[in-house]
Amino acid sequence: MTETVSIREVGLRDGLQMVTRQLPTEIKLDWCATQSAAGFNEIEVTSFVPPSVMPQFTDATEVLTGALQIKGLLASVLVPNFKGALRALDAGARKITYVLSASEAHNQANTRRSTDASIAMARTLFEERRARGLTDKLQLSCIIATSFGCSIQGAVDPARVCDIAAQLADFGADEISLADTVGHADPKSVATLFHDAMPGCGQAAMAAHFHDTRGMGLANVVAATEAGVRRFDAALGGLGGCPFAPGATGNIATEDCVYMLERLGMVTGVDMAALLELRQKLAAWLPGEELHGKMLRAGPIRSGTI
Ligand code: COA
Ligand code: ZN
């Protein structure tokens, strides 16, 4: 049986939050449309944060509105608080990813509240979805940052991550994503944490969000697939990182992740040639920005070559 796996592009959100230059709205929408045409069903298109905190996303409403016009694309958005979710709802969001951190110290640095306060806020968001009659129309995903460790406080208790995931699943989360924000995960911890967290997450789909900070990114993807995960975040050119987490670096590169999963016999639905063309455009859109990923340089393997 062929296995299908879903790769969500997060370069427009996780990636751009580390890029100080402002990418014009038209270019962001060109990126969305081109990547959607290359076979991506879901793209995290922006983040609803205060423009004073991240000016890169001042055009969040315009980007989401434009992305919602792209046929066949699920345009998801990140929100760190209820206010951001209300802005996203006003713009017509169909999928919202709510971020909170398992690490108390990172949650304070990132959102200026305790992890329990962020969990309580998540509950309010699920109640809001119900009150608006949107339970079947709006997907609510929760991403638990620093699930594998934190560069501010150090170790994060895996039992705490499992407990947070179970609470969010109880609220009605459609998806729970475990994120390795600062590259503390390794294949063994990935296998163990997903194995331990899954039973408490009921019907929620499990997803993984890996940064390649210590070169473990793709190995962690393999470990997660073996644990049963079929949804992955990745950023074109390995962009990404969290401005509120010291030492954070880029996500796994989308193009390398697609290549690897296809080599493992999984179906991503991605047209690699089209993706690499977009990857070249990205370098032109972000001159001077350090991009990563091996596929652009090497290209796919052609038969008869070594
Ligand atoms: N979008 C726009 N404006 C927002 C907002 C949002 N999501 N959240 C709050 N605001 C505004 C408020 O209206 C208020 O404006 P005012 O001073 O004009 O009245 C101001 O920002 C402060 O609001 P406050 O209630 O103190 O904010 P908060 O404590 O609920 O939230 C965060 C703080 C979460 C918004 C802030 O810490 C943040 O943006 N963090 C970034 C998190 C992130 O994206 N990290 C990277 C991804 S992991
Ligand atoms: Zn990230």
Side-chain angles (χ1 to χ4, degrees):
M1 193 183 70
T2 324
E3 288 269 11
T4 303
V5 63
S6 162
I7 301 174
R8 174 172 76 152
E9 174 63 39
V10 296
L12 281 131
R13 195 280 302 169
D14 205 320
L16 293 186
Q17 73 192 13
M18 295 298 273
V19 173
T20 43
R21 127 195 1 256
Q22 307 247 13
L23 209 54
T25 311
E26 315 80 74
I27 290 185
K28 291 181 182 177
L29 290 172
D30 185 356
W31 179 349
C32 290
T34 310
Q35 195 153 353
S36 165
F40 287 76
N41 298 325
E42 181 179 348
I43 298 176
E44 190 168 65
V45 299
T46 191
S47 184
F48 282 88
V49 289
S52 55
V53 177
M54 288 195 203
Q56 296 93 322
F57 304 120
T58 304
D59 60 357
T61 296
E62 291 75 15
V63 170
L64 175 57
T65 306
L68 286 169
Q69 307 301 315
I70 300 169
K71 219 166 156 256
L73 175 67
L74 176 59
S76 55
V77 298
L78 190 89
V79 307
N81 63 355
F82 190 59
K83 162 104 192 209
L86 291 180
R87 289 178 61 209
L89 280 172
D90 285 348
R94 286 283 162 263
K95 178 170 178 179
I96 291 176
T97 301
Y98 177 82
V99 61
L100 77 173
S101 305
S103 146
E104 198 59 44
H106 184 255
N107 208 69
Q108 286 288 356
N110 202 38
T111 66
R112 301 200 292 250
R113 56 176 57 81
S114 68
T115 301
D116 279 338
S118 280
I119 294 171
M121 192 175 256
R123 183 197 284 273
T124 312
L125 177 53
F126 283 92
E127 281 162 5
E128 182 71 16
R129 175 170 74 165
R130 227 177 341 265
R132 291 186 183 215
L134 291 175
T135 305
D136 298 327
K137 298 192 187 77
L138 170 70
Q139 290 185 52
L140 283 182
S141 169
C142 295
I143 184 162
I144 307 175
T146 61
S147 281
F148 298 87
C150 169
S151 53
I152 309 171
Q153 80 172 37
V156 169
D157 182 3
R160 172 69 168 149
V161 178
C162 294
D163 174 56
I164 295 169
Q167 290 190 59
L168 297 167
D170 263 3
F171 295 164
D174 298 292
E175 180 183 81
I176 306 275
S177 181
L178 302 184
D180 181 26
T181 312
V182 285
H184 284 209
D186 57 68
K188 199 170 166 191
S189 60
V190 166
T192 307
L193 191 59
F194 275 102
H195 174 268
D196 292 350
M198 274 177 181
C201 290
Q203 298 303 306
M206 300 303 294
H209 177 105
F210 296 126
H211 285 256
D212 200 30
T213 317
R214 290 178 175 77
M216 295 287 105
L218 290 186
N220 291 337
V221 172
V222 175
T225 59
E226 285 169 358
V229 178
R230 293 293 178 269
R231 297 182 185 204
F232 295 95
D233 285 351
L236 204 55
L239 285 172
C242 174
F244 303 101
T249 60
N251 287 83
I252 51 170
T254 307
E255 57 274 31
D256 293 0
C257 185
V258 168
Y259 176 75
M260 187 193 71
L261 289 168
E262 293 275 347
R263 295 291 290 187
L264 290 177
M266 300 197 163
V267 175
T268 63
V270 172
D271 174 343
M272 179 57 82
L275 184 65
L276 292 180
E277 248 178 65
L278 172 63
R279 170 65 174 72
Q280 262 169 325
K281 277 170 86 173
L282 180 70
W285 288 333
L286 298 174
E289 203 63 46
E290 195 183 350
L291 298 178
H292 305 274
K294 306 276 195 288
M295 279 308 289
L296 184 65
R297 202 171 23 183
I301 297 172
R302 276 181 227 95
S303 54
T305 63
I306 51 168

